[in-house]
Coordinates of all heavy atoms in Angstrom, one line a residue:
Chain C
V418 N -55.0 104.5 -38.0 CA -54.3 105.4 -37.1 C -53.8 106.5 -37.9 O -53.0 106.3 -38.8 CB -53.2 104.7 -36.3 CG1 -52.6 105.6 -35.2 CG2 -53.7 103.4 -35.7
W430 N -48.8 110.8 -41.3 CA -48.7 109.4 -41.7 C -50.0 108.7 -41.3 O -50.8 109.2 -40.5 CB -47.5 108.8 -41.0 CG -47.3 109.0 -39.5 CD1 -46.5 109.9 -38.9 CD2 -48.0 108.2 -38.5 NE1 -46.6 109.8 -37.6 CE2 -47.6 108.8 -37.2 CE3 -48.9 107.2 -38.4 CZ2 -48.0 108.3 -36.0 CZ3 -49.3 106.7 -37.2 CH2 -48.9 107.3 -36.0
V432 N -51.6 104.5 -40.5 CA -51.5 103.0 -40.5 C -52.8 102.4 -40.6 O -53.8 102.8 -39.9 CB -50.8 102.6 -39.1 CG1 -50.9 101.1 -38.9 CG2 -49.4 103.1 -39.1
I444 N -51.9 106.1 -26.9 CA -50.9 106.7 -25.9 C -49.5 106.7 -26.7 O -49.3 106.1 -27.7 CB -50.8 106.0 -24.6 CG1 -50.2 104.6 -24.8 CG2 -52.1 106.0 -23.8 CD1 -49.8 103.9 -23.5
A446 N -45.6 106.1 -25.7 CA -44.8 105.6 -24.7 C -43.6 105.0 -25.3 O -43.6 104.3 -26.3 CB -45.5 104.6 -23.9
G448 N -41.3 106.2 -27.1 CA -41.1 106.5 -28.4 C -42.0 105.9 -29.4 O -41.9 106.0 -30.6
L449 N -43.0 105.2 -28.9 CA -44.0 104.5 -29.8 C -45.4 105.0 -29.5 O -45.7 105.2 -28.4 CB -43.9 103.0 -29.5 CG -42.6 102.3 -29.9 CD1 -42.7 100.9 -29.4 CD2 -42.3 102.3 -31.4
V450 N -46.1 105.1 -30.6 CA -47.6 105.3 -30.4 C -48.2 104.0 -30.3 O -48.0 103.1 -31.1 CB -48.1 106.0 -31.7 CG1 -49.6 106.0 -31.6 CG2 -47.6 107.4 -31.8
I451 N -48.9 103.8 -29.2 CA -49.5 102.5 -28.9 C -51.1 102.7 -29.1 O -51.7 103.5 -28.4 CB -49.2 102.0 -27.6 CG1 -47.7 101.7 -27.6 CG2 -50.0 100.7 -27.3 CD1 -47.1 101.3 -26.2
A452 N -51.6 102.1 -30.1 CA -53.0 102.3 -30.5 C -53.7 100.9 -30.4 O -53.2 99.9 -30.8 CB -53.1 102.8 -31.9
T453 N -54.9 101.0 -29.8 CA -55.6 99.8 -29.6 C -56.8 99.7 -30.5 O -57.7 100.6 -30.5 CB -56.1 99.7 -28.1 OG1 -55.0 100.1 -27.3 CG2 -56.5 98.3 -27.8
L458 N -56.4 94.2 -32.5 CA -54.9 94.1 -32.3 C -54.5 95.4 -31.6 O -55.1 96.4 -31.7 CB -54.2 94.1 -33.6 CG -54.1 92.7 -34.4 CD1 -53.5 92.9 -35.7 CD2 -53.3 91.7 -33.6
I459 N -53.3 95.3 -31.0 CA -52.6 96.5 -30.5 C -51.5 96.8 -31.4 O -50.7 95.9 -31.8 CB -52.1 96.2 -29.1 CG1 -53.2 95.9 -28.1 CG2 -51.3 97.4 -28.6 CD1 -52.7 95.3 -26.8
Y460 N -51.4 98.0 -31.8 CA -50.3 98.4 -32.7 C -49.3 99.3 -32.0 O -49.7 100.3 -31.3 CB -50.9 99.2 -33.9 CG -51.8 98.4 -34.8 CD1 -53.1 98.1 -34.5 CD2 -51.3 97.9 -36.1 CE1 -53.9 97.4 -35.3 CE2 -52.1 97.2 -36.9 CZ -53.4 96.9 -36.5 OH -54.2 96.2 -37.3
A461 N -48.1 99.0 -32.2 CA -47.0 100.0 -31.7 C -46.4 100.6 -33.0 O -45.8 99.8 -33.8 CB -46.0 99.3 -30.9
I462 N -46.4 101.9 -33.1 CA -46.0 102.6 -34.3 C -45.0 103.6 -34.0 O -45.0 104.4 -33.1 CB -47.3 103.3 -35.0 CG1 -48.4 102.3 -35.2 CG2 -46.8 103.9 -36.3 CD1 -49.7 102.9 -35.2
K463 N -43.9 103.5 -34.9 CA -42.9 104.5 -34.8 C -43.4 105.8 -35.5 O -43.8 105.7 -36.7 CB -41.6 104.1 -35.4 CG -40.8 103.0 -34.6 CD -39.6 102.6 -35.2 CE -39.9 101.3 -36.1 NZ -38.8 100.8 -36.9
P464 N -43.4 106.9 -34.8 CA -44.1 108.1 -35.4 C -43.3 108.9 -36.4 O -43.6 110.1 -36.6 CB -44.4 108.9 -34.1 CG -43.3 108.6 -33.2 CD -42.8 107.2 -33.5
T471 N -48.0 101.6 -42.9 CA -48.5 100.3 -42.3 C -47.4 99.2 -42.5 O -47.2 98.4 -41.5 CB -49.7 99.9 -43.1 OG1 -50.6 101.0 -43.3 CG2 -50.4 98.8 -42.3
H474 N -43.5 101.1 -40.5 CA -43.3 101.7 -39.2 C -44.0 101.0 -38.0 O -44.0 101.5 -36.9 CB -43.6 103.2 -39.2 CG -42.5 104.0 -39.9 ND1 -42.4 104.0 -41.3 CD2 -41.6 104.8 -39.4 CE1 -41.3 104.7 -41.6 NE2 -40.8 105.2 -40.5
V475 N -44.6 99.9 -38.2 CA -45.3 99.2 -37.1 C -44.2 98.4 -36.4 O -43.7 97.4 -37.0 CB -46.5 98.4 -37.6 CG1 -47.0 97.6 -36.4 CG2 -47.5 99.2 -38.2
A476 N -43.9 98.7 -35.2 CA -42.8 98.1 -34.5 C -43.3 96.7 -34.0 O -42.5 95.7 -34.1 CB -42.4 98.9 -33.2
W477 N -44.4 96.6 -33.5 CA -45.0 95.3 -33.2 C -46.5 95.3 -33.1 O -47.1 96.4 -33.0 CB -44.4 94.7 -31.9 CG -44.4 95.7 -30.7 CD1 -43.4 96.5 -30.2 CD2 -45.6 96.0 -29.8 NE1 -43.8 97.2 -29.2 CE2 -45.1 96.9 -28.8 CE3 -46.8 95.5 -29.7 CZ2 -45.9 97.4 -27.8 CZ3 -47.7 96.0 -28.7 CH2 -47.2 96.9 -27.7
K478 N -47.1 94.2 -33.2 CA -48.5 94.0 -33.0 C -48.8 93.0 -31.9 O -47.9 92.1 -31.7 CB -49.2 93.6 -34.3 CG -49.1 94.6 -35.4 CD -49.9 94.0 -36.6 CE -49.4 94.6 -37.9 NZ -50.0 94.0 -39.1
S479 N -49.8 93.1 -31.3 CA -50.1 92.1 -30.2 C -51.6 91.8 -30.2 O -52.4 92.7 -30.3 CB -49.6 92.6 -28.9 OG -50.1 91.8 -27.8
V496 N -46.5 98.6 -20.7 CA -47.7 99.2 -21.0 C -48.8 98.3 -20.5 O -48.7 97.1 -20.6 CB -47.8 99.5 -22.5 CG1 -47.6 98.3 -23.4 CG2 -49.2 100.2 -22.8
D509 N -44.6 94.4 -22.7 CA -43.3 95.1 -22.8 C -43.4 96.2 -23.9 O -43.8 95.8 -25.0 CB -42.2 94.2 -23.0 CG -40.8 94.8 -23.0 OD1 -40.6 95.8 -23.7 OD2 -40.0 94.4 -22.1
V510 N -43.1 97.4 -23.7 CA -43.2 98.4 -24.7 C -42.4 98.1 -25.9 O -42.8 98.4 -27.1 CB -42.9 99.8 -24.1 CG1 -42.9 100.8 -25.2 CG2 -44.0 100.2 -23.1
K511 N -41.2 97.7 -25.7 CA -40.2 97.5 -26.8 C -40.6 96.4 -27.7 O -40.5 96.5 -28.9 CB -38.8 97.3 -26.2 CG -38.3 98.5 -25.5 CD -36.8 98.7 -25.6 CE -36.4 100.0 -24.9 NZ -37.0 100.1 -23.6
T512 N -41.0 95.3 -27.1 CA -41.3 94.1 -27.9 C -42.7 93.7 -28.1 O -43.1 93.0 -29.0 CB -40.6 92.9 -27.2 OG1 -41.2 92.7 -25.9 CG2 -39.1 93.1 -27.0
G513 N -43.6 94.2 -27.2 CA -45.0 93.8 -27.3 C -45.2 92.4 -26.7 O -46.4 91.9 -26.7

Side-chain angles (χ1 to χ4, degrees):
Chain C
V418 183
W430 52 259
V432 167
I444 62 168
L449 296 172
V450 169
I451 295 170
T453 315
L458 279 176
I459 298 165
Y460 293 79
I462 305 154
K463 285 178 269 177
T471 316
H474 282 74
V475 176
W477 51 261
K478 295 183 203 175
S479 168
V496 55
D509 188 302
V510 169
K511 292 207 175 58
T512 61

